[in-house]
Amino acid sequence: MMKKIILLLIGFFIFMSSCTDGFEELNTDPKTPIGQTDPSFILPTALNSLMNHHVYTGAVNENQLGTFSQYFAKYDYTNENIYDFRGNMFDTHWGSLYRSIAVFRDIARLVEVAPYNNGLSQSALNNRKAVSEIMEIWCFHQLTDQFGDVPYSEAAQSPDIVTPKYDKQSDIYPDLIKRLGAVVESIDTSAEGFGPTDVFFDGDMNRWVVFANSLKLRLAMRLADIDPSVASTAVNEALTAGVLDSNNDNIKYYFNTANAFMSPLRRNDGEAGWVDVLICETFTDVVNEVEDPRRWYMMYGWGPEDKPFNGYPLTYQTKGEFPHGDWGYAFLGWNFRYGDERDYPWAHILIDYAEVEFLKAEAVERGFIGGDAALHYTNAVTASLEYWEVGSDAITTYLSRPDVAYATAEGTWKQKIGTQKYIAFFPQSSEAFAEQRRLDYPALTPPVLVSGQLTQADIATRLPYPISEVNMNPINTTAAIDGIGGENSITTKVWWDVN
């Protein structure tokens, strides 16, 4: 028996030694994209997945920024209107952004790998890596603006780092600005990029340069209160390098007819599926006060006759306790309709000409650049009105209103710019949430509780770290929470929010 066992063992080792040359190939999953898929094929899927999540506000475990910016209010799950979120509410949002970062890094790695690099010049390879770099920066910018201190230097760096440390936002922001400058320098606009699989710009690297510069301008102005010197320098660098200069340059992602709805916002809003998310009363009050003509394009005004654009209040009360019924409140309008009811796709804006002009107006007021703040403000409001297809006569009438015109509108430049910027951002909840915190206008509404009302100090100013991080990365998450005062609170302010 012993001889048989020895002979079997010898045979086994001989067999194994003869197979070692093909061991790696045999043990590589041909279905996995890592190292096996053309990055040109990964890019459009990665962008679509990222944009769908970024836009899809209000659903269970999805992006809650529509509630935080008070663009939208919940009609069924009204506990979320008063910031009473379910335990794992922010896990998906956090995870989606970090998964996207990992994918964009893998795309940058794969462009250098044979056979995907064959026939491409080094300039073309650099351009493809630049696309991934810009999208990675955009993801980190979203994360740190919304959560504050987040994993950055160790995030998605290695499979061996499963509990990355948290970096201070004060370190992250300057590095993102530096990286944007470097990535623009790396782009050769005369060389090819990803071509038609680049679903943003169809391979036009000039557009990626403008995107990066405009994003740098946005990030620079976020630092205007906390570090004006760095902000001023970066603002001028971005403007010199070239930013958006018309609505034709707007950076946007088109949701095509393959989607069930042209806009992911419609999947649980108004007529689409069920009446779960409505336009928030905070937003309708702002646009109603100035009789903003964009109301007719942004929303359906199916409220009561004396107040057709009737927003839903931020309250914990049930819908049965309100008088107007299921169709008595404003919800998303024609521009967000079903795919088969429009002859062109709806697009979600990442950054547009209106925002750039608002930033220029602010930069003039702060002394970062020369020029006419009123002119940039007027350009910004006009660009937004034109984007929403408001007619020229209505635009002229609107801009001449004393409560809209820069010279006569109420308040400081912060109030004037902040209020109009809030309207123009709709429905870009992430940027509305960020700029309202930074400029402090318009004032958001404290939610109404069953037994009282929250105060202005209780307005949300950041997203809490998700439960998954608290449980799976406890040492680093606890250190991050200690660094912001010891509570994983939605009312703790991020670093650049100093007012």
Side-chain angles (χ1 to χ4, degrees), residues 3-65:
K3 288 183 178 179
K4 288 183 178 180
I5 292 174
I6 292 172
L7 288 172
L8 285 172
L9 288 172
I10 292 171
F12 172 76
F13 286 118
I14 291 172
F15 171 76
M16 287 300 292
S17 65
S18 68
C19 294
T20 53
D21 289 342
F23 183 80
E24 183 176 349
E25 180 179 352
L26 289 170
N27 285 274
T28 300
D29 183 357
K31 296 181 181 180
T32 183
I34 305 301
Q36 295 294 320
T37 304
D38 188 330
S40 296
F41 298 153
I42 302 174
L43 180 66
T45 301
L47 293 175
N48 182 69
S49 177
L50 176 62
M51 289 297 101
N52 264 278
H53 171 78
H54 178 66
V55 174
Y56 191 17
T57 187
V60 176
N61 297 334
E62 290 289 344
N63 184 344
Q64 298 300 315
L65 292 169

Side-chain angles (χ1 to χ4, degrees), residues 36-360:
Q36 295 294 320
T37 304
D38 188 330
S40 296
F41 298 153
I42 302 174
L43 180 66
T45 301
L47 293 175
N48 182 69
S49 177
L50 176 62
M51 289 297 101
N52 264 278
H53 171 78
H54 178 66
V55 174
Y56 191 17
T57 187
V60 176
N61 297 334
E62 290 289 344
N63 184 344
Q64 298 300 315
L65 292 169
T67 301
F68 278 69
S69 64
Q70 298 191 7
Y71 276 164
F72 302 106
K74 305 296 179 64
Y75 193 50
D76 286 325
Y77 301 99
T78 56
N79 57 305
E80 291 157 17
N81 290 335
I82 62 170
Y83 311 136
D84 180 17
F85 295 102
R86 284 156 280 184
N88 62 342
M89 206 71 183
F90 302 94
D91 289 36
T92 302
H93 182 58
W94 173 281
S96 172
L97 287 164
Y98 275 110
R99 281 191 299 273
S100 294
I101 289 167
V103 171
F104 290 129
R105 286 189 176 176
D106 205 53
I107 290 172
R109 178 185 66 81
L110 287 168
V111 299
E112 296 274 17
V113 174
Y116 313 126
N117 61 350
N118 291 351
L120 294 174
S121 67
Q122 188 58 52
S123 293
L125 296 176
N126 291 342
N127 284 350
R128 293 187 171 199
K129 287 188 287 186
V131 169
S132 292
E133 172 76 348
I134 292 169
M135 291 311 303
E136 179 186 324
I137 291 169
W138 184 88
C139 289
F140 273 123
H141 140 57
Q142 294 293 315
L143 280 161
T144 192
D145 274 354
Q146 293 157 28
F147 293 94
D149 301 342
V150 296
Y152 177 69
S153 59
E154 292 183 354
Q157 289 287 357
S158 165
D160 297 329
I161 303 176
V162 294
T163 55
K165 71 175 184 178
Y166 283 62
D167 294 84
K168 292 290 185 183
Q169 189 177 53
S170 56
D171 294 325
I172 296 171
Y173 243 84
D175 195 57
L176 292 178
I177 291 172
K178 179 180 178 181
R179 288 172 65 181
L180 284 167
V183 74
V184 167
E185 289 294 320
S186 75
I187 293 173
D188 182 348
T189 56
S190 66
E192 64 180 300
F194 276 105
T197 60
D198 171 3
V199 293
F200 274 3
F201 307 127
D202 199 31
D204 185 347
M205 295 308 300
N206 286 290
R207 299 292 309 281
W208 283 102
V209 168
V210 171
F211 182 14
N213 290 331
S214 301
L215 184 58
K216 183 176 180 178
L217 175 64
R218 173 195 286 173
L219 298 187
M221 290 303 294
R222 293 270 156 91
L223 304 187
D225 286 329
I226 192 70
D227 197 336
S229 177
V230 170
S232 177
T233 298
V235 163
N236 281 277
E237 289 174 350
L239 293 176
T240 299
V243 297
L244 301 166
D245 62 10
S246 78
N247 273 341
N248 292 330
D249 288 339
N250 290 349
I251 310 300
K252 51 192 175 183
Y253 179 77
Y254 287 96
F255 291 91
N256 59 42
T257 53
N259 292 296
F261 305 103
M262 300 300 275
S263 162
L265 288 169
R266 286 302 299 269
R267 292 176 194 162
N268 62 342
D269 177 272
E271 296 166 300
W274 61 92
V275 186
D276 185 19
V277 178
L278 302 177
I279 309 298
C280 181
E281 188 175 49
T282 300
F283 180 69
T284 58
D285 282 353
V286 171
V287 295
N288 287 337
E289 185 176 356
V290 292
E291 298 180 334
D292 198 294
R294 284 166 288 190
R295 294 176 298 177
W296 299 96
Y297 303 86
M298 292 172 169
M299 65 187 87
Y300 277 108
W302 284 4
E305 188 172 333
D306 61 336
K307 191 180 179 183
F309 297 102
N310 187 52
Y312 195 74
L314 288 170
T315 176
Y316 186 61
Q317 292 172 271
T318 65
K319 59 186 178 182
E321 296 171 341
F322 288 95
H324 303 306
D326 281 359
W327 306 108
Y329 298 93
F331 53 83
L332 286 166
W334 174 258
N335 282 51
F336 308 92
R337 296 279 290 181
Y338 301 92
D340 59 357
E341 296 184 17
R342 297 187 69 196
D343 59 2
Y344 58 95
W346 179 80
H348 184 77
I349 290 176
L350 279 78
I351 186 167
D352 63 3
Y353 174 57
E355 181 183 353
V356 165
E357 285 294 303
F358 279 126
L359 292 171
K360 287 181 179 179

Side-chain angles (χ1 to χ4, degrees), residues 65 68-69 71 141 145-146 173 217-225 351 354-360 362-363 366 413-415 417-425 428-444 461 494 496-497 499:
L65 292 169
F68 278 69
S69 64
Y71 276 164
H141 140 57
D145 274 354
Q146 293 157 28
Y173 243 84
L217 175 64
R218 173 195 286 173
L219 298 187
M221 290 303 294
R222 293 270 156 91
L223 304 187
D225 286 329
I351 186 167
E355 181 183 353
V356 165
E357 285 294 303
F358 279 126
L359 292 171
K360 287 181 179 179
E362 180 183 347
R366 291 181 180 274
W413 63 262
K414 276 193 172 185
Q415 182 172 350
I417 292 173
T419 300
Q420 280 295 326
K421 201 171 195 179
Y422 182 72
I423 299 172
F425 269 137
Q428 299 177 62
S429 301
S430 62
E431 301 318 307
F433 180 49
E435 290 296 80
Q436 190 283 329
R437 288 177 288 161
R438 188 176 68 84
L439 295 172
D440 302 308
Y441 290 99
L444 298 186
T461 50
V494 299
W496 49 250
D497 183 8
N499 297 325

